Amino acid sequence: IYTSGTTGKPKGIMLTHRALLASIGYTNRLGSLSRSDIFLTVSPFTHVFGLISAGLAPISNGCRMIMTNN
């Protein structure tokens, strides 16, 4: 993930596979997603929160996704 530099100089930040899986696991605890769900993504994937909550968590649960053109 590349940071925009809001708190300093812009830079690339390495996120590990383990950290992404842990975040998906925490997101899945907030509610139940299933293959029958249709998920509208509105958060940009350029932010970690949007990537995990609106992208990776639904995909990991087999949800159908509809992506907006932001």
Side-chain angles (χ1 to χ4, degrees):
I1 297 288
Y2 193 78
T3 69
S4 64
T6 53
T7 60
K9 187 177 178 181
K11 58 189 166 287
I13 303 296
M14 184 66 72
L15 295 176
T16 64
H17 187 252
R18 182 178 181 175
L20 290 173
L21 288 177
S23 295
I24 291 168
Y26 294 130
T27 302
N28 286 339
R29 291 182 192 168
L30 297 175
S32 61
L33 297 173
S34 70
R35 294 181 62 88
S36 63
D37 291 328
I38 300 172
F39 205 87
L40 174 64
T41 61
V42 292
S43 296
F45 288 168
T46 55
H47 297 279
V48 175
F49 177 77
L51 175 66
I52 293 169
S53 64
L56 298 178
I59 287 172
S60 72
N61 288 283
C63 297
R64 177 188 288 174
M65 293 178 60
I66 299 171
M67 300 177 76
T68 61
N69 186 10
N70 300 16

